[in-house]
Structure formats: C-alpha cells, structure tokens
C-alpha cells in the first residue's frame, strides 16, 4: 500500500516541479507574484478540451494549439498590461493587484464558456495501468513524468549552457545592470512570459488527461508549484525538481498516515518549516544587501 502512495507522490511532485519552473521563469525577471499564471494553467486544459471535444481536432493537434494559445495569452498579458504599468513606475504591489484582477476575470470567463461542472479529457478507454515496484501507474502518468523531467532537464541546459540562458540569468540577477550593458530586458520579460505560460498550459493538459478539470484548477496547481519553488530555491531548476518531489512525497505520505483532508495543510506546513529553517530554499542563496 505504501508503495502506491510513494509513486503517487513522485508523480504529483514532478507536476509540482513543472509548475514551479514555469512560475519561476516569470517571477525571476518580472519580480512580482504573477497570480494570473493560475488562469493560464486552467486555460491550457480547457483550450485543449474545446479544440478536441467541441471542434473535433485530434489530441495530437489540440495539445500544441492549446499551448500556443497559452503562449499568446502570456505575451498579451505582459505587453498589454504589465509592461505599460511598469513603464509608468508601478510597484510590485500594483502589479500583483492587477494580476489578481486578471486571474478573477479569466477564471470567470472560463466558467462562463465551459460551465462550472467537472470536465474530462481522455485519450481513449481508461486502462488498469501497469505495476511498477508494487504500485500501479497508468500510461498517462508515465508520459506526464517523462515530459516533466525532459522539460526540466532541457530548461536547465538552456539556462546554463546557452547565450540565451546567460542573458536570462543576467536580467534575473540584476536587471538594471543588464540594461546598462545593453540587454533589452523587455524582450527577456516577454520571452519569459511566453515560455512560462506555454509550460503552464502543458502541465494543466497533462493533469486533465490524468484526472479531471475545473475552472478553479489553476489555483490548486499554482499554489503547490509556488511552495515547491520556495522550498527548492527561487530560480533554480534542480531546486524546483527537489522542492516538487519533497512536497509531493510529504503530501501523499501524509495522506497515507493521517488522511486526505490534511493534504493542503501539509503543503503549507512544509512551506512554513522551510521559511523558518532556510528561507532562501534548498538550492537558493541568501541575498546580500550592499550598503551605499
């Protein structure tokens, strides 16, 4: 029995790490809590559902189209809302409030178009899955974990070994200095929103294929992802992976030990403990303040 909870924790942790990375890409350069990222998560699953079920597109076509829609939404939010606010000197608090309002609007639009009832996105007949180390795992779950790890590794390689990654890390580390050196930070911001939104859309599609989807699914995907990002260390790809796996395992082992109703509370206990012991995260570094 415990093997099943461990496997479930690893599957959930991989998804949390994927969401954490998608959020961290945006947070590292935008420097504010992009709450509307949750709405982008939900939109990915519902766009795929609309294209596949309503318009009859095959799933292999609906998935990339839904991801493109999420990328476009991320770019529109950055160029149409956040960039103009930033040019007018808006503080991170103002950007947060704007993002929260945008999240509420988008979530209600999804509910208006698709309804509040639970929707199901399926690839075919649901099978019993396969046995791995005494636990049962479905084909969709295997695909989910594989895609999450491939994207995480590819992102780490891009950030560490490419010129684009170095530019991204420069803007993330010190945007003012990067701007002085000629880096167009507004382009980096736009790319971060496009890539992060596309990853969030893909994550929600994988979740919808495994379980179900509701208009509020973006929030319950975003919050564990943010917790995983903080636990692992903001801006660290290995940190996102380790933070996600820790959170997923602790949550599901907690369900095994004390019951499912405590699953959300366990996530925030992990967050509080991390903030108390190592607030900069497992792979993060404390920020040094220079005195002038």
């Amino acid at each position: 029995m415990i093997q099943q909870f461990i496997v479930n924790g690893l599957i959930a942790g991989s998804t949390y790490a994927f969401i954490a990375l998608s959020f961290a890409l945006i947070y590292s350069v935008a420097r504010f809590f992009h709450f509307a990222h949750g709405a982008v998560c939900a939109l990915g699953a519902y766009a795929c559902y609309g294209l596949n079920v309503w318009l009859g597109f095959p799933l292999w076509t609906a998935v990339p189209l839904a991801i493109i829609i999420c990328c476009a939404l991320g770019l529109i939010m950055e160029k149409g809302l956040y960039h103009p606010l930033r040019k007018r000197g808006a503080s991170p608090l103002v950007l947060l409030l704007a993002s929260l309002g945008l999240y509420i609007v988008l979530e209600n639009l999804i509910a208006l178009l698709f309804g509040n009832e639970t929707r199901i996105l399926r690839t075919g007949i649901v099978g019993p899955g396969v046995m791995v180390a005494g636990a049962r795992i479905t084909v969709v779950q295997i695909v989910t974990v594989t895609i999450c790890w491939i994207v995480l590794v590819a992102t780490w390689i891009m950030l560490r070994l490419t010129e684009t990654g170095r530019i991204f890390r420069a803007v993330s580390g010190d945007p003012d200095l990067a701007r002085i050196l000629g880096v167009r930070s507004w382009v980096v911001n736009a790319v971060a929103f496009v890539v992060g939104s596309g990853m969030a859309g893909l994550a929600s599609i994988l979740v919808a294929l495994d379980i179900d989807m509701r208009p509020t699914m973006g929030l319950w995907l975003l919050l564990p992802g943010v917790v995983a990002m903080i636990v692992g260390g903001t801006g660290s790809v290995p940190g996102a992976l380790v933070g996600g796996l820790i959170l997923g395992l602790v949550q599901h082992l907690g369900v095994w030990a004390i019951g499912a109703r405590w699953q959300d509370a366990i996530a925030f206990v992990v967050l509080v403990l991390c903030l108390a012991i190592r607030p900069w995260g497992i792979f993060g570094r404390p920020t040094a303040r220079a005195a002038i």
Side-chain angles (χ1 to χ4, degrees), residues 38-55 62 66 69-70 106-107 109-121 200-201 204-205 208 212-218 220:
V40 178
C41 288
L43 178 66
Y46 276 94
C48 185
Y49 177 88
L51 290 166
N52 178 241
V53 177
W54 288 359
L55 300 181
I69 290 173
C70 291
L106 291 174
E107 183 186 286
L109 281 176
I110 292 173
L112 181 65
L113 290 173
F114 295 92
N116 286 308
E117 63 270 17
T118 300
R119 301 281 183 176
I120 298 175
L121 185 64
S204 69
I205 293 171
D212 55 40
M213 53 184 174
R214 289 162 285 175
T216 57
M217 68 179 294
W220 57 259

Side-chain angles (χ1 to χ4, degrees), residues 155 166 285 291:
T155 304
R166 284 190 284 271
R285 295 179 180 178

